[in-house]
Amino acid sequence: MRIFENFESEVRGYIRSFPTIFKKAKGAILTDEQDVDYIDFFAGAGTLNYGHNNDLISNALIEYLQNDGVVHGLDMATTAKKEFMETFQELILKPRNLEYKMQFTGPTGTNCVETALKLARLVKGRSNVIAFTNGYHGLSQGSLAVTGNNEYRDESYISRSNATFMPFDGYFGDFNTLEYLRKFLNDGSSGVDLPAAIIVETIQGEGGINVSSAKWLKELESICREYDILLIIDDIQVGNGRSGNFFSFEFADINPDMVTLSKSIGGGLPMALLLFKPDLDQWKPGEHTGTFRGNNLAFVASKVSLENYWQNEDLTNAVFYKEKVLKKKLEEIAQKHSDVFDIDIRGRGLAYGFEIKNDPTVAGEISSYAFEEQLIVETCGSQGQVVKFLPPLIIDEETLIEGLNRFERAITKLAS
Ligand code: PMP
């Protein structure tokens, strides 16, 4: 289907899944040029936790611009930056007893991951990094080297030598996959070099909403302490309240050495923030810079979203409440179609996966049928076999249920 009638040959768009042109968006609703409304259960893969065009954020941005706030200030301190950092410190780090330095990297998630890997290597003087099967950390060369999906990896541009993949929690059913990791670390002749860092998502977003347990994460942390390895939690997709708590690792009570944040940290605008323990700040001045680090508009958007959603536990409680609604409905749908589809439902907070285990092609078809029902849902997993639910966290219950009804109609159409 041709989307951009006159210049399709000149653009490469990400429009295979959702063949229309969107012109407006508000909250959890996207509207296309034909004035058709769609419920958005994708939310920019976790970028729009506070919804499209959140009034609080839009108004703060308008006010900032009308008052001639600094939009770009390379190598300068700005009021917007100072205020964001103070707010993040007060509302996020302090109540959780977390001590981190903040480094603003290039604007996207992959820039943040690259920075974390580079700093870990600098600090430890080692190049290997351990990452996990089905993990996703970005597609530029350094982050791609730790992304565990061969769909994206090509021998010609990937340096495989400085990353070792280990099985993620649950990769072999009930078998404790960290036994492998310990074995390799103990066995100096295995070919697995002692890594500078281990990088992991607590819930693998692109990899299929694979959820690690608190026990596994705690054991991973103690392995890092035992072997002098830095623990990097990649919270780019499931941080910022997506799993209920602000950080996705809070439920496991661990204290990572570094945390990568992007997507929703900028309130919908491009921003990436690396948090690291103060003693890791071993950069020489100017050693890791870039022109578009720390977008001032994103600081403004982020500050107002932190102030409005993270002063108390309201958003966390709302996410856990809506999780129950989502999970119950998905289970009912799975039950109704259990004679045709073998379905596994998993997730935490408002990050859920609906895997069709007996036929990996079905999830993509459900996504297309859902689009016809005016619902935006994406797929994830190594074979695209999982339908992914990531609605904006601020979605109201009625819209959430309506979206789930549309999903049900889509799967019913397919099953019949
Ligand atoms: N890490 C994780 C966990 C992600 O989900 C993503 C993006 N899906 C990235 C890193 C890369 O972010 P970006 O696409 O902004 O480079």
Side-chain angles (χ1 to χ4, degrees):
M1 181 177 176
R2 287 173 72 83
I3 302 293
F4 295 118
E5 280 300 324
N6 302 320
F7 52 94
E8 183 129 301
S9 62
E10 292 165 30
V11 295
R12 278 200 28 78
Y14 198 72
I15 47 183
R16 280 160 301 178
S17 319
F18 311 117
T20 189
I21 300 178
F22 295 101
K23 70 170 177 190
K24 281 190 359 178
K26 188 83 186 161
I29 306 290
L30 278 155
T31 308
D32 73 6
E33 287 187 345
Q34 281 69 47
D35 288 321
V36 178
D37 287 341
Y38 295 80
I39 295 176
D40 186 3
F41 276 4
F42 177 47
T47 306
L48 295 155
N49 286 3
Y50 308 113
H52 294 271
N53 279 307
N54 184 310
D55 283 340
L56 297 163
I57 296 175
S58 304
N59 292 338
L61 288 169
I62 291 165
E63 195 190 319
Y64 186 76
L65 289 169
Q66 277 177 341
N67 286 303
D68 294 333
V70 179
V71 171
H72 191 267
L74 182 61
D75 291 344
M76 291 167 206
T78 63
T79 306
K81 181 175 183 175
K82 182 186 75 168
E83 290 183 354
F84 164 78
M85 291 177 82
E86 285 169 357
T87 309
F88 193 79
Q89 182 69 37
E90 275 308 302
L91 296 182
I92 304 298
L93 298 182
K94 226 166 135 186
R96 294 168 178 78
N97 286 323
L98 291 170
E99 251 188 85
Y100 287 126
K101 285 205 174 193
M102 302 178 211
Q103 179 167 9
F104 302 102
T105 73
T108 67
T110 193
N111 303 132
C112 197
V113 169
E114 299 262 352
T115 310
L117 299 177
K118 191 171 155 186
L119 182 60
R121 288 175 171 131
L122 173 77
V123 169
K124 294 294 176 199
R126 302 173 212 141
S127 85
N128 192 27
V129 169
I130 283 181
F132 291 94
T133 48
N134 288 319
Y136 186 99
H137 303 287
L139 297 187
S140 55
Q141 284 193 326
S143 62
L144 183 55
V146 289
T147 288
N149 182 339
N150 274 346
E151 276 280 297
Y152 301 113
R153 299 160 60 86
D154 187 292
E155 283 286 357
S156 59
Y157 52 70
I158 264 283
S159 160
R160 289 178 186 236
S161 59
N162 56 1
T164 308
F165 287 96
M166 290 286 154
F168 189 68
D169 193 12
Y171 192 77
F172 294 125
D174 288 337
F175 178 79
N176 178 5
T177 57
L178 294 180
E179 276 183 31
Y180 274 121
L181 180 55
R182 268 186 194 282
K183 173 118 187 70
F184 282 120
L185 292 173
N186 285 335
D187 176 5
S189 60
S190 64
V192 176
D193 295 331
L194 184 66
I198 294 180
I199 184 164
V200 67
E201 298 158 89
T202 64
I203 302 170
Q204 295 183 321
E206 299 306 318
I209 310 290
N210 306 317
V211 186
S212 62
S213 69
K215 186 165 170 273
W216 190 84
L217 288 167
K218 268 187 202 292
E219 191 180 341
L220 187 64
E221 183 187 46
S222 56
I223 290 174
C224 286
R225 302 291 165 252
E226 217 175 297
Y227 291 88
D228 184 34
I229 300 165
L230 296 172
L231 177 61
I232 307 171
I233 297 288
D234 183 345
D235 239 3
I236 287 170
Q237 183 155 159
V238 295
N240 243 94
R242 175 57 57 191
S243 74
N245 301 111
F246 185 86
F247 293 111
S248 73
F249 55 84
E250 283 177 59
F251 85 109
D253 196 24
I254 57 168
N255 186 209
D257 299 291
M258 299 192 199
V259 183
T260 56
L261 288 174
S262 185
K263 297 202 190 272
S264 277
I265 187 65
L269 296 182
M271 175 167 154
L273 170 61
L274 176 64
L275 304 174
F276 54 81
K277 290 190 176 163
D279 63 317
L280 302 180
D281 193 358
Q282 295 178 23
W283 297 117
K284 290 194 283 290
E287 190 172 357
H288 190 74
T289 67
T291 308
F292 280 103
R293 290 167 297 132
N295 173 339
N296 281 269
L297 295 179
F299 289 144
V300 172
S302 188
K303 175 180 170 261
V304 72
S305 60
L306 295 176
E307 282 170 346
N308 282 282
Y309 295 101
W310 294 101
Q311 293 275 6
N312 47 42
E313 302 290 304
D314 289 358
L315 185 60
T316 298
N317 293 334
V319 168
F320 286 139
Y321 172 76
K322 284 178 259 190
E323 172 182 6
K324 283 195 198 126
V325 175
L326 173 70
K327 188 167 179 230
K328 184 162 170 274
K329 184 75 184 171
L330 291 182
E331 281 169 356
E332 278 168 23
I333 296 171
Q335 182 58 36
K336 269 190 208 159
H337 297 287
S338 58
D339 51 336
V340 186
F341 300 129
D342 178 11
I343 293 162
D344 184 45
I345 295 163
R346 50 188 185 248
R348 201 167 60 242
L350 284 177
Y352 262 74
F354 187 97
E355 175 171 8
I356 293 90
K357 288 164 58 175
N358 54 327
D359 183 350
T361 63
V362 169
E365 289 179 57
I366 296 178
S367 171
S368 304
Y369 277 85
F371 180 76
E372 288 174 16
E373 295 292 330
Q374 295 160 231
L375 173 71
I376 306 285
V377 275
E378 258 294 5
T379 58
C380 60
S382 54
Q383 300 161 282
Q385 76 280 24
V386 183
V387 183
K388 174 155 104 168
F389 292 82
L390 293 179
L393 305 184
I394 50 86
I395 192 168
D396 58 68
E397 191 176 349
E398 200 186 327
T399 311
L400 178 64
I401 292 171
E402 173 55 23
L404 289 165
N405 289 338
R406 292 179 190 186
F407 175 68
E408 182 168 14
R409 289 204 289 276
I411 192 166
T412 306
K413 247 193 212 170
L414 193 71
S416 56

